[in-house]
Amino acid sequence: MDWLAIDRLSAGHDGRIVIRDLSLSVPRECRILAVMGASGVGKSTLLSVMAGHLRPSQGSIRICGERVEEPSGSRPMVFQDHNLFPWKTVSGNIQFGLKCLGVPAWIRAERARELLDRMRLAGVAQCYPSQLSGGMRQRVGLARAMILRAPCLLLDEPFNALDTDVRELLQDELVRHVVETGTHAVLVTHDLAEAVYMADAVLVLRGGADFDLLPVSETPLPQRAAWRAGTMMADAVLRLRRAIAGAPGDGDTGHAEGSLRRPGARRVEPESV
Amino acid sequence: MHHEVLLPIAGCLLAAALWGVCASVFDMVLLPPPSAVAMAMVEQAFHGGLGEDAWASSGRVLAGVCFAFSLTSVLVLAAALWPPFERIVSGPIELTRPVPPIAWTPLAIMALGVGPGAAVAIVTVGAFFPLWLSVARGLREVRKVHILAARSLGAGHARLLADVILPSILPYALHGLRLSTGFGWFSVVAAEMMGAPSGLGRGIQMSSLNLDVTNLYAYILTTGIAGFACDRALFAVERSVSHWRGGKA
Ligand SMILES: Nc1ncnc2c1ncn2[C@@H]1O[C@H](COP(=O)(O)OP(=O)(O)O)[C@@H](O)[C@H]1O
Ligand SMILES: [Mg+2]
């Protein structure tokens, strides 16, 4: 059974189509799906449609058996620029989702405290977002979505602009969350190592309907924590880079580290021959 | 911090000194010495009607601002639930807004008689417009990203209203409340001068009819002080409620 099914989806902004006629499905075993692609290719647009924030001009999406019609707490979204509620404390922000579910205050506070500890935010529980650093805000944004233990998390570059150690901490916490709660996640990222470490498959958007769905690794998610120490990570990154380049083993690695190719540069289209 | 308090006080003392000098140099009926005005204020406060009049006017401002606040709340609630409503009401509101509140006084007196009712009605009119403008602006400035974030965390209409829309417009509402209380004081004095059984405006009117210039000054100064006190109190509330803005205005 597939947890994510996209059927002939077209979507865009102000009448300008960004995603055209996209169809794909992702099986249950794939817990975390990374979405990659050049900037402006429509990663955030796709995520907004998944969240129900943007109506597709055509087609449909099913996530965890539920057709996406409007925003829902069953697929909370973590935004590229956090979008915390500035009038709520860190703890208040994190508890918001549970408040929407009508969870009593003392249980909410308890769950928030637990999560604050895990995310190393305990010291700032009563601070307002305006008093936090960018990295802290991002952590709050992540915790705010994680507390719901929803069937699917939608994450738009959640670890951007973080120091390496905080970044790794959060990656590990997110993996742990996914493993523990059995949730699925869509993770937009432009970091190959992150995709390799966290994702079971990578969706590479190349503009319009052109995409690749690449498997990342046979190693199950919980066991990948060991990768950080070893050389397997580097190998896997290299494999993914080759796969994205579209010609495995042809030695074409002459382009910049970690960057994905622009649409059109990959394949020789019949009409251009 | 100290300068914020001390300098304005120094300015007041300087103005009073300047006033004293002018009064003694020119020695006119229209410019009594500040000491005489201060004496009149104390005298009037304890033995005359100044205290009662200030109390009556304050009550009318409070009542009028409360009416304006209730009216605005109802309109904002409707506009929050159905956004086109804001545009619809903005038509009639923009057409009546340029009319000075005092222009409604004859109508108010005809409808409600010479009593506190007419003055309260005028204050309501004067206080409503700045409050509505401010809150409507706040409503338009509710950030879409906050609404989206709340919806994707599972917020329904009620939660959205209580936890996102109202907190977003609260700073605007408090700022509007401060402006509208100021307009309320303008309006109450004007309305009372046109006919009221009591109040600072009536005191000003009576003093001028009796050519009691010292008393007139005492009433004018009292009006200023009362309005200032209201403004400071609301400013403190505004500041304490908007603490999450982290210093940004
Ligand atoms: N709110 C918007 N209004 C209009 N155009 C937008 C909006 N958001 C994104 N776009 C446009 O849609 C395209 C895809 O954007 P986006 O999905 O944000 O790309 P990505 O996240 O992959 O960098 C870009 O060309 C961008 O300019
Ligand atoms: Mg983006």
Side-chain angles (χ1 to χ4, degrees):
Chain A
M1 196 39 208
D2 299 323
W3 71 271
L4 172 64
I6 300 178
D7 184 31
R8 309 211 61 174
L9 181 82
S10 295
H13 305 275
D14 317 321
R16 201 171 65 82
I17 295 290
V18 178
I19 296 166
R20 193 184 302 276
D21 210 20
L22 181 72
S23 297
L24 60 93
S25 56
V26 180
R28 273 216 175 279
E29 306 76 65
C30 170
R31 301 226 74 97
I32 300 184
L33 174 74
V35 179
M36 305 188 79
S39 123
V41 79
K43 303 183 294 295
S44 297
T45 304
L46 179 61
L47 218 59
S48 317
V49 179
M50 288 180 177
H53 293 160
L54 184 68
R55 284 207 167 278
S57 42
Q58 188 199 312
S60 66
I61 297 189
R62 296 184 74 86
I63 294 179
C64 300
E66 192 184 326
R67 196 187 150 118
V68 175
E69 299 281 358
E70 55 176 8
S72 146
S74 61
R75 7 180 183 88
M77 171 132 165
V78 177
F79 295 82
Q80 212 163 351
D81 31 19
H82 354 299
N83 299 347
L84 301 181
F85 304 124
W87 53 86
K88 284 184 183 289
T89 61
V90 166
S91 182
N93 265 282
I94 291 179
Q95 290 177 32
F96 182 79
L98 294 181
K99 199 172 176 187
C100 294
L101 289 176
V103 175
W106 67 273
I107 298 179
R108 288 201 316 253
E110 191 60 38
R111 292 266 296 276
R113 199 155 34 237
E114 208 174 287
L115 206 50
L116 283 162
D117 280 340
R118 270 170 70 160
M119 304 295 265
R120 314 289 192 277
L121 286 167
V124 294
Q126 297 311 317
C127 291
Y128 287 89
S130 62
Q131 300 168 293
L132 304 182
S133 71
M136 284 175 166
R137 281 181 213 167
Q138 216 141 3
R139 270 182 274 170
V140 178
L142 197 61
R144 187 170 71 164
M146 275 164 60
I147 201 166
L148 281 167
R149 298 183 186 170
C152 177
L153 279 174
L154 303 173
L155 309 149
D156 197 351
E157 310 198 18
F159 309 123
N160 248 11
L162 289 178
D163 299 336
T164 313
D165 46 344
V166 181
R167 198 183 167 93
E168 293 192 348
L169 169 92
L170 291 193
Q171 289 171 346
D172 288 340
E173 284 302 341
L174 189 64
V175 167
R176 189 174 139 191
H177 177 81
V178 167
V179 170
E180 279 179 9
T181 60
T183 153
H184 289 88
V186 181
L187 171 73
V188 174
T189 177
H190 51 231
D191 181 358
L192 280 170
E194 184 168 284
V196 161
Y197 182 65
M198 302 189 64
D200 299 295
V202 178
L203 170 64
V204 184
L205 295 180
R206 301 183 191 277
D210 193 7
F211 73 93
D212 281 311
L213 193 55
L214 306 169
V216 173
S217 148
E218 305 293 294
T219 315
L221 208 46
Q223 277 131 54
R224 258 179 263 164
W227 284 23
R228 288 241 199 263
T231 54
M232 286 173 71
M233 182 92 161
D235 289 347
V237 169
L238 199 63
R239 272 203 304 278
L240 177 59
R241 174 169 303 144
R242 289 222 180 99
I244 289 172
D250 71 356
D252 178 19
T253 47
H255 49 83
E257 278 288 294
S259 72
L260 296 175
R261 290 208 180 170
R262 300 224 140 250
R266 183 182 56 105
R267 289 190 192 132
V268 181
E269 302 292 344
E271 59 266 33
S272 68
V273 176
Chain B
M1 175 63 217
H2 281 327
H3 293 299
E4 280 175 31
V5 180
L6 291 181
L7 289 181
I9 290 179
C12 288
L13 293 177
L14 210 65
L18 201 65
W19 174 8
V21 170
C22 288
S24 62
V25 169
F26 298 114
D27 192 21
M28 294 188 304
V29 178
L30 279 185
L31 201 62
S35 54
V37 173
M39 293 278 283
M41 272 172 83
V42 173
E43 166 74 18
Q44 277 283 332
F46 286 106
H47 306 294
L50 185 62
E52 273 162 44
D53 282 333
W55 186 246
S57 295
S58 306
R60 286 166 202 162
V61 171
L62 183 68
V65 169
C66 283
F67 280 127
F69 189 80
S70 317
L71 179 60
T72 308
S73 303
V74 171
L75 293 181
V76 158
L77 209 63
L81 295 174
W82 190 54
F85 185 72
E86 193 236 305
R87 304 266 173 233
I88 293 173
V89 291
S90 78
I93 286 179
E94 289 306 309
L95 277 181
T96 37
R97 192 163 66 91
V99 180
I102 190 74
W104 301 103
T105 313
L107 275 178
I109 289 178
M110 280 187 260
L112 300 166
V114 180
V120 169
I122 300 308
V123 173
T124 306
V125 172
F128 168 72
F129 292 106
L131 186 58
W132 165 256
L133 283 187
S134 185
V135 173
R137 165 140 183 264
L139 199 60
R140 259 177 274 130
E141 307 254 303
V142 175
R143 296 203 37 220
K144 190 162 177 244
V145 291
H146 290 145
I147 302 225
L148 289 182
R151 297 251 283 140
S152 89
L153 291 166
H157 282 300
R159 187 61 48 234
L160 211 56
L161 193 65
D163 281 54
V164 178
I165 295 176
L166 290 184
S168 293
I169 61 178
L170 187 63
Y172 294 90
L174 288 174
H175 186 69
L177 206 58
R178 231 181 109 203
L179 290 177
S180 74
T181 306
F183 276 81
W185 276 102
F186 288 174
S187 314
V188 83
V189 170
E192 286 165 351
M193 285 176 73
M194 305 232 347
S198 61
L200 290 172
R202 187 187 113 98
I204 289 173
Q205 186 75 342
M206 294 317 281
S207 311
S208 72
L209 290 179
N210 296 338
L211 298 176
D212 188 346
V213 178
T214 313
N215 229 2
L216 184 64
Y217 274 90
Y219 267 94
I220 289 176
L221 264 181
T222 306
T223 308
I225 291 169
F228 174 76
C230 287
D231 190 68
R232 284 293 98 177
L234 286 171
F235 181 63
V237 174
E238 194 184 334
R239 270 254 284 259
S240 71
V241 170
S242 304
H243 55 100
W244 51 263
R245 291 184 160 207
K248 283 170 291 189

